[in-house]
Amino acid sequence: MGKITERNTDQSTVVTWGSVSIAPTDDVVVGSFATWTLTYTVGAYAMDVGGGLKIGTRRQADFGHPQFDNPVADNYTTITCSREGARFEAYFDPRGHKRPFNAVAVIRLVSGPLYPGHTITVTLGDISGGSRGLAVQSFPENACDFAVFLDPLSSGEYKRVYCQSSNFTILSGPSEYFTVVAPTIVEVGKPFRVQVRGNDKFGNPTPVDKTGLTLDADPAINVVLSQSDGRATWVDGVILNATGVRRLELKDGEKILAISNPIVAQTKVDEIICWGDTQAQTASTVGVGTPDEYFAYARDLAAIDFTTHQGNDFILSDGDLEEVGLAVKKYNEPGRFAAFFGWEWSGPTGTGGDRNVMFLDDEGPIYRSSHWQLCPDEITKNAAAKEAVHARDLQERMRTYMAETGRKISIVPRVGGRRSGFQAQDPELEPVFEICSNHGVFEWRLHEFLNAGVRVGVVGASDDHTCRPGLAYPSTPEMTVLGGLGAVFSRDLSRGDIYNGMMARHCYGTTGARIYLDITANKVRMGDVSNSSGPTNIWGCVHGTAPIEYIALFNRSRELRRFHPNAETRDMNRIKIIWSGATHQDRGRFMKWDGGLEMNSGVIMGATPLNMYTAKYGIDNLGERHVTWRSITSGQEEGILIHINASDDTVIAFEAGPAKIKFNVGEVRSSNLRWDLGGLDQFVTASTLHTDDNTFDAEFDYIDDSPVEGEQAYWVRVVQTDFHRAWSSPIYIENKIRKNL
C-alpha cells in the first residue's frame, strides 16, 4: 500500500511520536456491537495543549460514529488520561482528515500538557453506562484496525502513530438466505457449473453447513454445503436436456430455498453473456483488502466472469500498480475468469471526470491526472511529465500508446465520484459508460449523451471499496445501493472477446440482477449502427429474476411504448408509497429519507420496505397507526408498502426527506398521486395499483411507423417488481426519408 494508506511500520517513531495499542484484537462479526480500548503512550515530543489525536477507519468502513455525550446510546466513547487534570474536547468529524481516513473522532487536549510516558485511553463502545457498544461495519475484512494520528504540537499536521497491536478480522454473519448463480446461456446436454452460497443479513457470502439439498437439473443433483468449503460452494456437472428458459431450484425436501437466475439453454451456442464489474478498488487506495483478495472474491464468491481493479491514480503508487499486475496475471484464466489490468484516471469534473482505463494485456503505462497524494519515492522520477491533466490528454496519450505498441485499451467514463462530462466522451476509445453503481442510478446521463448526439453503450458497475467486486452492498451513505453489473455478449470467456463485445456496445447494464435482455431494430443488434429509409421493426426479449413490472421502449429520450407483461390491478387496502431522487449530479448527491408516516384513524395491518438493501436500512418501528424507516436514495426508487384497514376519509401524513405531505385514503384509492420536489428527479408517489402476477419472461414487437429523418437511438429500460432494472445499449439507425419521384 502507498504511504498515506498503510500502517506506520517505522518503529523508530515510537521514541519520539509515541505508540498506540488496541485491545482486544479478537475476531468480530459484521453488524455486531463491540468494545475496543485504544491506549496511546506519549513519546519524547510530548503533547502540548491544542494537540491531540484523530482516530478513524478507512473511508468506506461503516462502523458506528463515536459519540461522547450519551452513555446509554450506541457508539458511546470515553476518554481518560494518566495525568490528573488533563482535559479534552472530543467530537466526530465525517470529513476531518485526509482521504482515505476521512471520518475521524477528533480528541483535542484543551488543558494540562502531557509529558513523555503519559497515556491517553480511549474506549470505543464503552458499555459501562448501558450502551450496546460500537457498531461493527457491515462487510467482512481480514485485516481491520483503527488508524490513530497524532499532532503533538498543535500544528494541525497529523501523522500516523505506530501501532503495537495486530490487525483484527471481521467475519461474515450467520446465513439467512441462499443464492444460486448459474451461467445465463448454456448448451443443451453440455455440463456447466453453478454456485450455491449462504448469505448473511447484509448480503455477504458466508459459510454454511447444510445437507439433504437438491438442485433440479437433468438429472437432479444432490448438494451438500459445508463450512469447510468456505463462503460459497461450486456444483459441477449440471446439465439441461431441453432448449428454452430454465431457473434451477435449490430445495430442502419440498421447500424451495432459492431460485437461480434465468438460464437460456440452446442447441448451439454462438455467444455467451459474460457478467462483470468494470469499477472497484482496494486498500491500495481508499478501500479495504488486497488485489489478491479482490480478484478471488470476484471469481469465487460474486461468481462474475470478469473484472478490473481501478485504483485512484493520484493515490496509487507504482508499487501498488505492480501488485495489481501480479494479481491480474494470477487470476486471468481464459474459459474461467478474465482479469483486466487497469487504473482509474481520477481527474476532477472540471478536467473531464473519472474514467476507468482497462488494458487488454497484463500490464500497461499509467498517465495520472495528478500525483496529489503520492510521495516522490512512490512514483518514477519523471511522473509529472507523464501526467494527463485533462481527459483529452489521457485520450491522446492512449491513442499514441496503442499506435506505437499495437496494444488495445478501453476506457469507461463514470459518474460516481468525480462526475465525467459527456462533452469529453470519445466514442472510439470510450464506447460505453457506467449507468449505475453503488453511488446510485444515472439514467439521466444516458439522456444527456443521446440528446447531444453522442453514441454510447451502457454497463453497470459497483465502484466498490469494500473488496466485494461484483456483489457489493451499501456501505457508507455515499454508497447507497447494490452495485451494478455489466453484461457483455461474447464468443467466449476471454479478455479479447469481452473487450470486443464492449467496444461494439454489445452489452447492457443492470442494478445487480442477472436479467437476460436482448433487443434488435430491423434485425440490427444492440449497440450497432445501421441505415433505414422507412419504418423500424423493433423486437425485444427479457427473462427476469423477478416478475416484470414494465418494459419501456425509447427512441432517444422519447418513450415510444410501455409494455406490461403482468396485469396491474388495484387493491384498495394496499398503498405503495415510493420516493426517489438526488440532490444534484455530483459527489454528495445522496438524499436521506429517514422518516415515517401516521394515520389519524384506521389501522396499519402490516408494512414492507421496498428496495431497501440489507439490515442497514428499512423499517425501524411499526404501530397500528404509524411506521418509521431509514432510507437513502441517489437516483434509485425506494419506498414502503402498507396494508391498511381504513376509511376513505382517513388522513395519511408522510414526512421524510424534503417531503411533508398529507393525503386522504380516498384520494389514493381513486387515482395515482405524485408530488415533484425539485432537485434531481426528486419525487414521492402513492398508489393502490399493484403488479401481483408472476410473469418473469416477455417478448415484445413494436413498429416505429414514422421515424423522423436523422439518427434514431432505440433502447429499453426493464423494471422488475423487486425494483431491479436493466438498460440496453441503444441501437443507432440513420433514417433517410424516401422522396417521391
Side-chain angles (χ1 to χ4, degrees), residues 75-266:
N75 310 313
Y76 182 57
T77 299
T78 56
I79 305 162
T80 59
C81 184
S82 63
R83 180 181 180 182
E84 187 175 350
R87 290 192 306 108
F88 300 86
E89 68 174 2
Y91 56 91
F92 178 78
D93 187 343
R95 305 291 292 185
H97 195 59
K98 297 177 183 178
R99 178 188 181 103
F101 301 100
N102 304 73
V104 289
V106 180
I107 299 169
R108 192 173 74 89
L109 182 64
V110 296
S111 68
L114 303 186
Y115 294 79
H118 279 142
T119 59
I120 301 172
T121 300
V122 180
T123 304
L124 297 169
D126 190 331
I127 62 174
S128 61
S131 171
R132 291 188 294 177
L134 185 76
V136 178
Q137 68 188 30
S138 63
F139 55 91
E141 186 177 354
N142 287 330
C144 187
D145 70 350
F146 297 98
V148 179
F149 301 91
L150 165 71
D151 174 12
L153 306 175
S154 187
S155 65
E157 177 70 27
Y158 286 80
K159 300 183 184 297
R160 190 162 182 179
V161 178
Y162 183 88
C163 184
Q164 304 280 5
S165 308
S166 62
N167 292 321
F168 56 91
T169 298
I170 299 177
L171 304 171
S172 55
S175 178
E176 296 204 354
Y177 61 96
F178 294 91
T179 301
V180 179
V181 182
T184 300
I185 299 176
V186 302
E187 186 174 320
V188 168
K190 185 176 180 179
F192 58 93
R193 64 180 193 151
V194 166
Q195 187 205 67
V196 179
R197 66 173 182 259
N199 308 270
D200 69 21
K201 66 180 180 180
F202 296 102
N204 300 302
T206 193
V208 61
D209 286 318
K210 192 75 174 175
T211 60
L213 306 181
T214 57
L215 194 66
D216 66 336
D218 305 328
I221 296 176
N222 294 324
V223 177
V224 175
L225 305 180
S226 172
Q227 292 196 22
S228 63
D229 292 335
R231 297 163 63 193
T233 297
W234 287 91
V235 180
D236 293 308
V238 181
I239 295 176
L240 298 181
N241 286 332
T243 59
V245 180
R246 185 83 166 265
R247 295 171 180 85
L248 298 177
E249 295 179 347
L250 179 68
K251 291 184 176 182
D252 183 1
E254 295 301 313
K255 182 181 180 182
I256 299 175
L257 300 180
I259 301 174
S260 77
N261 55 279
I263 308 166
V264 179
Q266 301 174 349

Side-chain angles (χ1 to χ4, degrees), residues 9 59 67 95 157 206 210 230 251 287 290 312 342 470 482 510 514 576 711 721:
T9 58
R59 188 163 180 248
Q67 56 90 11
R95 305 291 292 185
E157 177 70 27
T206 193
K210 192 75 174 175
K251 291 184 176 182
T290 67
N312 299 118
L482 181 68
T510 82
R514 301 195 186 206
K576 180 167 61 177
E711 187 173 84
T721 58

Side-chain angles (χ1 to χ4, degrees), residues 276-280 294-295 298 304-309 337-340 469:
D277 190 342
T278 55
Q279 162 66 1
Y294 174 96
F295 285 106
I304 57 176
D305 301 307
F306 70 94
T307 193
T308 173
H309 184 284
F337 185 76
F340 285 87

